[in-house]
Amino acid sequence: MVSFSYKYRIFILLLSVLQLHCNTFLSLFSEPFPVQEYHLENGLSVYLSVNPKEPTVKTSILINAGSADDPDDATGLAHYLEHLMFKGTSNIGTSDYTKEKPYLEKIESLYETYRQTKENGTRKKIYEQIDKLSYEASQFVIPNEFSRMQSKMGITESNAFTSNDRTYYIATVPANQIKNFIQLEWERFRNPVFRTFHTELESVFEERNLRVMDFRSNLFKQYHQIMFPNHPYGIKTPIGRDEDLKNPSLGKIHQFFKENYVPSKMAICMSGNMNPEEVIDEIKNTFGKMQKDGTESKFQIPEHTPQESKNIIWVPSKKKIYLFGIKLPKTSPKFLSQINILSLLLSNGHNGLLDDSLYYTQKVSSVSTNITEWKDYLILNIWIEPSKIKSLEETKLEILAAFKKIESKDFTDEQLQSIQKNEKLNHIKYKDDNGFRIHEMTEMFLANWNFKDLQQKFESLNQVTKDDLSEFVKIYVNNNIVSIETKQTNQNYTFIEKPSISKLEFSKEEESKFKKEFSFEPSQSLSPKFADFEQIESKIYPNGNQFIYQKNKENSLFKFKMIIEKGAWISPYLDVSIDYWKHLGTDLYTANALSTKFYLLGSSISILTNGEALEITMEGEDAQFLASFRLLEHSIKSVNSSKEVWENLVSDYITRLENKKDDEFSLDLALHQYALYGKDSLRYFYATPDDLKKFKSSEAINLLGNLLKYKSKITYYGNINFDTLEKNIFYEYLEKTNPIDTNNLSKRKFRPNNETIFYVLNRKRPHAELNYFATINLKDKNTFPYIGLFNALYDGLASPFFMAMREQTGNAYAADLFLDFPESNDDPILWMVNLSCQVDKLQNCLRDSNESLQLKNISEKRFEEAKISMMNATNTISKSDRYLIDEFIRSERLGIKEDLDRLVFESIKETNWKDFLKFTKYISGSGAFQISLIGDTNKINRQMMKSFGKIEEVTTKTIIGH
């Protein structure tokens, strides 16, 4: 029991801090980050942002065209093209383009004939011709050579995405490879060749079939159709119409490339450690040679037309969602700031108007708002998972009431100021993140803004007033809310049947003449900056508690954690009790008031399980750390019980548990855990619905009140010195005589790796999702470099496994293979494989994956490439003066005294091909996998599967655990 005098001191302390808070409000930076903006004579836009804190450069080559720009009779084309842009050029990916080209021309012509032909028998014969020619053409193909070249430079995160109104190609490039990167990209965009088209078409078919039963894909496809009934955003989707997918046109793809991959519709965005003068000179010498296309990128703000309707969306899930959409024109940077503030005023997880009226009253399980930002429109989305609230209409009334408050300015100055302060803190966190900068520059280009407009967007956040928000609601919100309710459908979904294709036989040449002659030499040498644990002060106390400290040299923010190892095993009721805590107040504050106090202090807080650990985390502005920490203590130690809140919460929690039996993502995760651990996992430790009904709210309160009494690692990253924290703030915890030890609570055990077993869950999916798990018990830390090399070899599009399973056979849409470092000294290495294939291709998929997983075909050249790739990528590591505490704890758990990346890197130079082959032989010699498989068991040939391993049929009840 906490004394009255202690509580009073907390109250006075917090009150004084909150009164000071407005006076110490930090002003927004005048610039979000520096940007140098160029517009070349041919119309190409270039945006460069120098950020010397990382030895890498994030890049985005942006095309101002997406699915909305697809031809009406060839939808999905922009997405097709994005896939094909990785296939190489007349110089890359071919052993002899002169001999390959005639086959490609015949294939393109046959597709046009196929497209015009309606009779099924004739179509089949044409496709057989396409398949035969594709096989013959493939003998000149060097697969994935473009991606291999990127990988050799140390380029990571290379990918591409097609959205409704844009296509962009991204990569993270070592700072000393920028010139080579631009040369390689110029070759790609100058002269792409669309080879191996029919196997890539298979992948697009797979992607479409994967989406057709996906809850979110279904929901948002229908949502956008409702929001944009007469606009391409609602009419055309990136994946395209089925009829167009079945009748592709290489000719139209070439035409789309010619019309849209032109300077006036392109922007090159880069952020990182670079010399902008050198970069822009290199871009001028390459992309600057693109012909001016004579067109101007047009931008016109659509006329605002209010749209009000009530709708039902049918989805393959009984999970109930209420979704409200407000469509808005993208008029100006200030307008975007206003809608951002409006969104947060409705819901920010703390003191939003809907948080108050819906979440804390437990009328809904969750409420959130976000903004969809496209070229022509913005959408303010209000996403609600109902609980006690009875109907869509009742929910809308609550939303209208919130907007009425904003219109009448019936909210406090404190609410508005707290939102603006927290947005400012977020910008401090993210403004030096290259990904954040790339996103902002991308949106700047698409909106036809310049850097001054971008500055205004950020400056305006701190200038939005109550009057602005009131006027905004009057003009743009009233009579402009689309209401949507989801309902479950049991309809039979149609899937695209794919023509059968022959396995391709690629060129015996391992690299093209272009690759042999291409310069991979870096412009300068880079050296990695590994985690320097000398910056960390760690002290273990007689009672076993540990204090880990690092001074923040970067900014004025703090990060605090209390980590309870194996803490997830404290109680079967831990998760639901944490949810309970989020809804509870104390003897001083209601739940809403308590959350508001944290928000006013600019501090975010979470209690959650991370693997087997329990972590209490808090982040914010260092000046407010003491007040935030005392408030955190108070929120746990003095939490008040509420029988009504508990009963509502348990009822809602049980409903969510039941819904997981129909949620595809939850089932995937549950089956993976079952394959890996069986019933020796947290899933079977946690309370069942029947258990929860018997557990009392008072018991949950006791569980919460004891969370600060466990043996823990207390970590702090900030500017308060070690002695002050140790003696004045954390003393109670560091010097406790008998903290409760949790280290022996874990019941988790990996399955033995004696034989291959399929754990098969029946679901009406068009595809089979397979995940392979094998435990490799190698405790020698000297094997860690081989894990890194293995992953470098099998990473991404350059992977031999990806080539065998997708490029060569079209067997699988997804084909990933990697080794996972152990989490602790006691854990094994995990060999993990993910495959996604059509059920009718399961036999071929299993056969070819089994062959590929023997790891026999690793040439010395591919090994050396992987080694160079890993060295170049590792040279870009820069952990100096950054937050290192998580790295330190990771190493502690592994029983090493240095940064794991350093350990791996320093041993790479000594590794050789023969030793690596011995390692892979040992790995593949484990022989057995635990394989989770989800698919339509009525279409699975069990007899065939038994030739690969045993079969165990499971039910949703088995894997969910109740």
Side-chain angles (χ1 to χ4, degrees):
M1 189 71 179
V2 182
S3 68
F4 175 79
S5 60
Y6 177 74
K7 291 185 288 188
Y8 183 74
R9 287 199 304 274
I10 291 175
F11 176 75
I12 294 299
L13 171 65
L14 292 175
L15 183 62
S16 63
V17 170
L18 291 174
Q19 287 172 336
L20 285 169
H21 150 259
C22 291
N23 297 326
T24 59
F25 188 81
L26 297 169
S27 62
L28 278 167
F29 38 84
S30 59
E31 292 186 3
F33 47 82
V35 176
Q36 295 189 35
E37 186 177 349
Y38 305 88
H39 300 284
L40 275 55
E41 289 182 8
N42 64 358
L44 180 74
S45 297
V46 181
Y47 303 94
L48 306 177
S49 180
V50 177
N51 182 8
K53 294 189 176 183
E54 298 280 354
T56 58
V57 179
K58 275 196 180 292
T59 68
S60 172
I61 300 180
L62 176 68
I63 311 300
N64 190 349
S67 61
D69 303 278
D70 283 338
D72 292 341
D73 62 344
T75 59
L77 189 150
H79 180 235
Y80 270 167
L81 176 54
E82 172 229 303
H83 280 240
L84 295 171
M85 287 295 289
F86 288 86
K87 299 299 181 181
T89 68
S90 59
N91 296 315
I92 299 172
T94 183
S95 59
D96 191 332
Y97 183 64
T98 304
K99 293 179 180 177
E100 181 192 17
K101 185 179 180 183
Y103 290 104
L104 298 180
E105 289 173 345
K106 289 177 186 176
I107 290 168
E108 181 172 337
S109 176
L110 278 172
Y111 266 113
E112 292 306 316
T113 305
Y114 182 78
R115 177 181 169 83
Q116 303 301 324
T117 303
K118 303 301 179 185
E119 201 276 316
N120 288 335
T122 307
R123 282 171 64 88
K124 184 179 179 182
K125 288 179 182 178
I126 296 170
Y127 210 87
E128 287 171 356
Q129 288 180 272
I130 290 172
D131 184 57
K132 183 175 182 295
L133 287 167
S134 297
Y135 173 82
E136 292 169 353
S138 72
Q139 296 173 67
F140 304 102
V141 173
I142 301 172
N144 298 324
E145 188 171 47
F146 175 82
S147 297
R148 283 174 57 193
M149 292 179 72
Q150 284 193 319
S151 181
K152 188 173 179 179
M153 288 186 228
I155 292 171
T156 58
E157 300 174 330
S158 174
N159 213 331
F161 304 93
T162 304
S163 181
N164 296 67
D165 58 3
R166 68 200 71 183
T167 307
Y168 51 104
Y169 300 82
I170 62 170
T172 299
V173 185
N176 60 354
Q177 290 283 0
I178 280 295
K179 180 177 179 180
N180 294 336
F181 165 78
I182 293 170
Q183 290 283 349
L184 184 60
E185 290 293 339
W186 167 232
E187 170 66 17
R188 167 160 67 160
F189 280 86
R190 180 182 66 85
N191 187 26
V193 170
F194 304 147
R195 54 175 59 90
T196 62
F197 181 73
H198 78 323
T199 52
E200 198 59 42
L201 190 59
E202 291 273 300
S203 299
V204 175
F205 286 166
E206 293 267 16
E207 194 170 344
R208 181 271 179 200
N209 286 345
L210 286 169
R211 291 184 186 189
V212 72
M213 286 184 64
D214 179 70
F215 170 77
R216 293 184 70 87
S217 295
N218 263 274
L219 191 154
F220 282 105
K221 179 181 179 181
Q222 295 176 69
Y223 177 43
H224 294 149
Q225 286 172 346
I226 292 166
M227 296 299 293
F228 302 103
N230 302 308
H231 189 284
Y233 290 166
I235 298 168
K236 301 173 185 178
T237 64
I239 204 69
R241 286 191 300 263
D242 289 356
E243 197 58 33
D244 296 334
L245 289 175
K246 295 175 189 175
N247 296 285
S249 168
L250 271 164
K252 285 183 178 289
I253 291 175
H254 281 293
Q255 187 63 28
F256 188 92
F257 176 84
K258 185 178 179 181
E259 291 175 356
N260 291 285
Y261 283 55
V262 294
S264 66
K265 290 187 173 184
M266 291 178 65
I268 298 177
C269 304
M270 295 187 180
S271 177
N273 194 351
M274 60 185 159
N275 182 322
E277 287 77 17
E278 292 178 2
V279 171
I280 193 62
D281 283 347
E282 192 62 37
I283 290 174
K284 286 178 180 177
N285 290 333
T286 51
F287 286 87
K289 295 176 182 177
M290 295 178 79
Q291 269 195 320
K292 187 172 184 178
D293 50 282
T295 63
E296 294 294 330
S297 183
K298 296 178 182 179
F299 180 83
Q300 186 174 357
I301 297 170
E303 182 181 348
H304 172 60
T305 306
Q307 182 177 344
E308 189 104 3
S309 65
K310 176 184 172 184
N311 309 270
I312 292 173
I313 284 180
W314 298 94
V315 292
S317 171
K318 64 183 179 183
K319 183 178 182 180
K320 177 71 72 177
I321 297 294
Y322 293 154
L323 180 57
F324 299 87
I326 301 170
K327 184 170 69 178
L328 303 158
K330 191 174 180 179
T331 59
S332 69
K334 184 176 181 181
F335 186 88
L336 195 60
S337 295
Q338 289 175 346
I339 187 175
N340 185 44
I341 297 296
L342 180 74
S343 172
L344 291 166
L345 185 56
L346 289 170
S347 177
N348 54 55
H350 296 276
N351 66 353
L353 298 174
L354 296 178
D355 299 324
D356 185 22
S357 64
L358 292 175
Y359 178 73
Y360 288 109
T361 59
Q362 293 187 292
K363 292 179 180 178
V364 303
S365 297
S366 70
V367 56
S368 61
T369 57
N370 72 299
I371 300 163
T372 300
E373 185 175 356
W374 284 334
K375 278 189 305 191
D376 289 355
Y377 287 101
L378 304 166
I379 312 175
L380 172 59
N381 308 292
I382 304 172
W383 179 281
I384 286 171
E385 294 184 38
S387 179
K388 288 192 302 181
I389 204 156
K390 292 182 176 62
S391 66
L392 182 70
E393 291 80 3
E394 185 181 345
T395 310
K396 184 178 179 181
L397 288 174
E398 295 279 3
I399 291 170
L400 290 173
F403 278 123
K404 192 66 180 176
K405 284 189 173 184
I406 297 171
E407 185 178 349
S408 59
K409 295 176 269 191
D410 185 17
F411 57 95
T412 66
D413 292 334
E414 191 179 61
Q415 279 178 293
L416 180 56
Q417 290 168 1
S418 67
I419 290 167
Q420 290 169 323
K421 171 170 182 172
N422 277 276
E423 280 299 278
K424 175 262 164 193
L425 291 175
N426 283 333
H427 292 144
I428 290 178
K429 286 181 188 176
Y430 298 121
K431 76 183 182 76
D432 287 333
D433 178 78
N434 288 326
F436 172 78
R437 295 187 180 195
I438 288 289
H439 170 77
E440 293 299 328
M441 290 188 286
T442 296
E443 295 300 337
M444 180 172 74
F445 168 70
L446 291 172
N448 203 30
W449 294 348
N450 57 34
F451 184 57
K452 287 184 179 179
D453 294 319
L454 186 62
Q455 284 179 293
Q456 185 188 359
K457 171 183 166 181
F458 286 92
E459 291 169 355
S460 296
L461 286 169
N462 198 33
Q463 298 166 357
V464 175
T465 66
K466 283 186 170 184
D467 288 338
D468 292 331
L469 296 174
S470 173
E471 194 65 20
F472 189 101
V473 172
K474 289 177 186 175
I475 297 173
Y476 293 107
V477 175
N478 293 332
N479 303 313
N480 189 33
I481 300 177
V482 172
S483 309
I484 290 167
E485 175 181 1
T486 64
K487 288 190 178 181
Q488 185 178 18
T489 177
N490 295 314
Q491 73 180 66
N492 291 320
Y493 291 94
T494 56
F495 306 109
I496 293 180
E497 292 186 12
K498 307 184 301 299
S500 60
I501 61 172
S502 302
K503 183 177 180 179
L504 303 180
E505 292 296 333
F506 293 132
S507 171
K508 302 301 181 187
E509 297 287 333
E510 285 205 88
E511 58 184 349
S512 64
K513 182 175 182 290
F514 183 91
K515 180 171 179 283
K516 289 175 185 175
E517 296 176 353
F518 187 83
S519 173
F520 292 92
E521 287 300 311
S523 60
Q524 63 190 67
S525 62
L526 292 176
S527 298
K529 295 179 181 178
F530 296 110
D532 176 13
F533 292 158
E534 293 295 320
Q535 295 184 47
I536 289 177
E537 192 169 349
S538 174
K539 184 175 178 180
I540 298 176
Y541 296 81
N543 60 13
N545 281 348
Q546 184 178 7
F547 180 27
I548 304 171
Y549 172 91
Q550 183 189 354
K551 185 171 180 62
N552 181 359
K553 300 175 184 178
E554 290 286 302
N555 52 44
S556 61
L557 304 180
F558 76 83
K559 185 172 185 177
F560 161 85
K561 279 188 182 181
M562 181 177 278
I563 303 169
I564 303 169
E565 299 286 13
K566 312 299 182 186
W569 296 90
I570 286 172
S571 167
Y573 306 96
L574 181 61
D575 272 7
V576 70
S577 296
I578 292 171
D579 273 357
Y580 187 34
W581 171 77
K582 295 173 186 176
H583 287 81
L584 293 175
T586 67
D587 45 6
L588 292 179
Y589 306 110
T590 64
N592 191 0
L594 187 65
S595 185
T596 296
K597 295 295 182 187
F598 279 115
Y599 196 60
L600 289 169
L601 288 166
S603 295
S604 62
I605 180 170
S606 68
I607 303 178
L608 50 80
T609 53
N610 183 6
E612 293 189 283
L614 175 66
E615 297 183 354
I616 302 171
T617 303
M618 188 165 66
E619 297 182 67
E621 190 182 353
D622 223 347
Q624 312 298 351
F625 173 73
L626 178 58
S628 299
F629 181 72
R630 294 304 181 209
L631 189 60
L632 170 62
E633 288 181 301
H634 175 69
S635 73
I636 294 174
K637 291 179 177 179
S638 302
V639 65
N640 272 345
S641 177
S642 168
K643 185 179 178 182
E644 181 185 2
V645 170
W646 173 255
E647 288 176 351
N648 288 334
L649 181 75
V650 168
S651 174
D652 200 35
Y653 195 84
I654 290 172
T655 299
R656 292 207 305 273
L657 287 177
E658 289 300 315
N659 285 344
K660 284 184 178 181
K661 293 178 181 178
D662 285 319
D663 180 72
E664 298 301 317
F665 177 79
S666 297
L667 290 174
D668 285 349
L669 181 60
L671 185 60
H672 300 167
Q673 291 175 337
Y674 185 78
L676 198 52
Y677 307 114
K679 294 189 176 181
D680 296 320
S681 71
L682 278 163
R683 184 173 294 279
Y684 292 88
F685 174 72
Y686 286 144
T688 67
D690 288 340
D691 294 331
L692 287 169
K693 291 172 185 175
K694 298 172 188 174
F695 196 65
K696 298 177 182 176
S697 63
S698 58
E699 293 174 295
I701 293 295
N702 290 335
L703 176 58
L704 290 166
N706 286 328
L707 287 184
L708 301 181
K709 297 178 182 179
Y710 289 93
K711 179 180 173 182
S712 61
K713 300 178 190 289
I714 293 177
T715 76
Y716 171 84
Y717 174 71
N719 289 286
I720 303 174
N721 65 56
F722 183 98
D723 289 344
T724 299
L725 292 164
E726 180 188 41
K727 295 173 183 175
N728 299 330
I729 300 177
F730 301 148
Y731 177 81
E732 177 186 350
Y733 309 102
L734 299 176
E735 300 295 334
K736 272 184 180 174
T737 52
N738 292 308
I740 306 167
D741 197 339
T742 57
N743 280 319
N744 296 321
L745 293 180
S746 175
K747 298 177 177 63
R748 189 193 70 169
K749 292 179 185 175
F750 290 92
R751 283 186 186 271
N753 216 41
N754 302 326
E755 59 184 336
T756 293
I757 303 176
F758 291 89
Y759 304 95
V760 181
L761 177 68
N762 181 36
R763 299 295 289 173
K764 297 295 181 184
R765 293 184 181 181
H767 65 288
E769 187 82 22
L770 300 99
N771 283 271
Y772 292 51
F773 304 95
T775 52
I776 314 295
N777 289 300
L778 275 174
K779 300 298 182 184
D780 186 358
K781 304 296 188 297
N782 292 323
T783 62
F784 284 0
Y786 294 109
I787 297 175
L789 269 172
F790 185 95
N791 290 338
L793 179 64
Y794 283 98
D795 180 52
L797 300 181
S799 164
F801 184 68
F802 181 87
M803 183 273 291
M805 298 305 298
R806 176 163 155 173
E807 299 289 313
Q808 191 170 18
T809 62
N811 275 339
Y813 171 68
D816 301 307
L817 165 65
F818 64 98
L819 294 174
D820 201 18
F821 283 95
E823 291 183 11
S824 73
N825 222 5
D826 300 324
D827 286 341
I829 299 166
L830 281 179
W831 189 9
M832 305 175 76
V833 182
N834 169 251
L835 288 168
S836 180
C837 69
Q838 292 297 113
V839 176
D840 59 2
K841 290 192 173 186
L842 183 58
Q843 181 171 355
N844 291 342
C845 193
L846 289 171
R847 181 199 64 216
D848 291 344
S849 64
N850 261 21
E851 183 180 336
S852 188
L853 292 173
Q854 295 303 309
L855 309 177
K856 293 176 181 176
N857 300 319
I858 303 171
S859 68
E860 187 169 6
K861 180 173 286 293
R862 293 302 298 267
F863 167 76
E864 290 297 336
E865 277 189 14
K867 194 171 174 179
I868 293 169
S869 167
M870 188 175 176
M871 294 286 287
N872 285 335
T874 307
N875 277 329
T876 65
I877 289 175
S878 179
K879 301 179 184 177
S880 177
D881 297 331
R882 302 296 177 86
Y883 175 75
L884 304 176
I885 291 174
D886 288 344
E887 295 273 3
F888 179 79
I889 292 173
R890 178 194 189 195
S891 293
E892 269 197 338
R893 287 171 177 165
L894 288 171
I896 58 179
K897 296 183 178 179
E898 58 184 326
D899 182 0
L900 175 60
D901 289 325
R902 182 194 293 275
L903 177 69
V904 170
F905 179 78
E906 291 180 347
S907 302
I908 287 294
K909 292 177 183 177
E910 282 69 46
T911 59
N912 60 66
W913 181 44
K914 290 182 179 178
D915 288 341
F916 182 70
L917 289 180
K918 288 178 186 176
F919 173 76
T920 59
K921 186 176 181 181
Y922 180 86
I923 294 292
S924 60
S926 64
F929 287 98
Q930 311 302 310
I931 305 175
S932 68
L933 190 159
I934 301 182
D936 189 341
T937 55
N938 293 323
K939 298 179 180 178
I940 292 175
N941 184 332
R942 286 170 178 73
Q943 200 60 39
M944 172 274 296
M945 282 181 60
K946 286 178 181 177
S947 66
F948 295 97
K950 282 188 175 181
I951 298 174
E952 180 183 325
E953 308 271 359
V954 299
T955 64
T956 55
K957 183 176 181 181
T958 304
I959 62 171
I960 291 290
H962 59 83

